Amino acid sequence: MSLLDMIGPVMIGPSSSHTAGACRIGLLARALLGTAPLKAVIGLHASFAKTGRGHGTQLALVAGLLNFPPDDPRLPDALTLAPTLGLDVEFNEIDLGDVHPNTARLELEGAGGERVSMTASSTGGGVVEVIRVDGFRVSFAGNSPTLLLRYPDALGVIARVASLIAADGVNIAALGCTRQKRGGDALLVIELDSPLSEEALAFLSRWQEVQWLRLLPSVMDGGAA
Amino acid sequence: MSPTLQQLMDAPAPASQWVLEQDCQDSGLSEAVVRQSMLERIGEMRRSIERGLASAAPSTTGMVGWNAKGLWDAPDRLNAPLMRRVQAYAMAVNEENARMGRIVAAPTAGSAGTIPGALIGVADHLQIPDEQLVMPMVLAAGVGQAISRQMFISGAAGGCQAEIGSSAAMAAAAVTELLGGTPRACVHAASLALMNTIGLVCDPVGGYVEVPCVSRNAFFAVHAVSAAQLALAQLESFIPPDEVVTAMAQVGRMMPLQLRETAEGGLAQTPTGLRVTAEMESRR
């Protein structure tokens, strides 16, 4: 954790892991969907389900989905505000097995039929880890700009994406790729030291093999500017 | 990579400058940006203290909300103005937190009162301006990083020793640096504070960050100032600081789940704790 994560975030109480972390999970899920969600089905696991109410976890997750940051004074009213802002939310309790006790699965749907499913854990002090995107196992914290790219597994795609990023003058901090099977759908997750340029993103999205692509902003205060 | 406490202790004085340089290399942020952000956070802490001292509004559950104001308005029977100030500031922040007000997690929201209580409390007592609190705050964060090498700093991960124990250690180092302590003294202050929280369980009544969290912040803010006082007088932790962290982490891993923020043990399971919890359940 960076110094600004240690003394921070500036947030609405009462719990950095249940409130600020949950809000950041909502923000990341919204960014993954790429648009304002119309409908959200949120599964709460273990401690998120058991003690979440007292910590405002539900309010914070919804606040994030509404694009309110962790220090937004509207956070305590997020559940009341959601319907007026066009978001329909449903909560249920789920068992995700052997994952961190503070974990939620968010299934989102946007106005244009966009859909995404994201599972993330809040690991303390407002730090989060995304562990699943649309069924793919992933691991990233949203503490730097993160590129996600879905494509059918084929020779050389990772190398081409990496050279494009290098040509854009951006350094790669971490890179992970999961595929369903050889030749099946693959998800590439690249954590960057700084955001990609609009041009590079537009160029990348025009590639024939790219099915879906998102550049998530950093949701942590100590992340790259 | 986070520093070890030994590295902090061996750093050239002031230790905070070394912490700042290391972190900026890692994050790519400039020192000026981090210093400015810290100053803003000190301002946020101060505002939460002011709101908390002025308000007696109950928290979401009604278990806390008037403690800071009550102490601040009461006569100082012990004639110990520093202690009263540190306690009131710490509770003010945590009562704001329990009311879903705006606070700075340091390192977490449940322990948010300890560092401002100790550092801003001492600074106000001695009339030291906020600008001089920036680097001690950076050192506090560096001590937090050193602890988090071995243990997540949350009650859910390691009990309250990991949460308020960490904030007390961070606060102790910060107060020591503020008062001119050497890097060695700062780290020993942190170590003394941490070694005397080992074993502390996280047992919030009803699972809410209210009881015992609010008063616990007041106690541990004073605990941090007390550790700084010892370290500034050259007293040291007999157990080397990094070994204290290891011991705390080991105890945390041995601690049953019931004593780690689940509200299934300790104060949360007293007859009163259970009655209040049942009342919350029936109200929702």
Side-chain angles (χ1 to χ4, degrees), chain B residues 169 188 190-199 223 236-239 244:
Chain B
H188 275 284
S191 183
L192 286 163
L194 189 63
M195 70 192 284
N196 286 291
T197 63
I198 289 182
H223 179 75
E236 296 200 339
S237 154
F238 181 79
I239 307 295
V244 173

Side-chain angles (χ1 to χ4, degrees), chain B residues 50-133:
Chain B
E50 283 163 8
R51 287 194 307 272
L53 290 181
S55 174
S59 63
T60 25
T61 67
M63 286 190 282
V64 297
W66 48 88
N67 300 282
K69 186 176 187 335
L71 175 66
W72 197 236
D73 293 345
D76 183 7
R77 297 290 297 279
L78 287 171
N79 195 17
L82 172 64
M83 182 160 88
R84 181 172 74 142
R85 187 180 290 276
V86 166
Q87 289 183 324
Y89 282 16
M91 286 196 291
V93 174
N94 275 79
E95 288 193 313
E96 271 299 285
N97 183 56
R99 279 191 284 265
M100 294 194 87
R102 202 171 141 101
I103 54 98
V104 183
T108 65
S111 63
T114 306
I115 293 173
L119 188 63
I120 301 181
V122 166
D124 283 1
H125 181 74
L126 299 175
Q127 296 181 310
I128 297 171
D130 283 358
E131 288 70 25
Q132 290 181 36
L133 306 184

Side-chain angles (χ1 to χ4, degrees), chain A residues 1 4 7-9 11 13-14 55, chain B residues 41 97 101-103 105 145 207-208:
Chain A
M1 291 217 277
L4 297 177
I7 304 293
M11 57 170 283
H55 291 107
Chain B
R41 275 153 208 225
N97 183 56
R102 202 171 141 101
I103 54 98
Q145 286 180 322
Y208 290 82

Side-chain angles (χ1 to χ4, degrees), chain A residues 1-19 47 50-51 53-56 59 71-73 75-76 100-102 123-126 221-225, chain B residues 19-20 23 27 29 34 37-38 41 44-45 97-98 100-110 115 137-138 140-142 144-145 148 152-154 170 207-209 261-262 264 284:
Chain A
M1 291 217 277
S2 80
L3 298 176
L4 297 177
D5 297 324
M6 274 297 159
I7 304 293
V10 179
M11 57 170 283
I12 302 298
S15 163
S16 43
S17 52
H18 290 259
T19 319
S47 169
K50 273 191 197 162
T51 66
R53 194 173 295 262
H55 291 107
L59 301 171
D71 67 338
D72 196 306
L75 188 146
H100 192 284
N102 295 335
T123 57
D221 297 331
Chain B
V19 167
L20 185 62
D23 196 66
S27 68
L29 297 174
V34 175
S37 305
M38 281 295 177
R41 275 153 208 225
E44 287 288 349
M45 287 174 172
N97 183 56
M100 294 194 87
R102 202 171 141 101
I103 54 98
V104 183
T108 65
I115 293 173
M137 196 63 90
V138 165
Q145 286 180 322
S148 67
F152 284 121
I153 39 157
S154 71
M170 293 160 73
Y208 290 82
V209 192
E261 208 198 44
T262 52
E264 289 169 355
R284 65 184 226 203

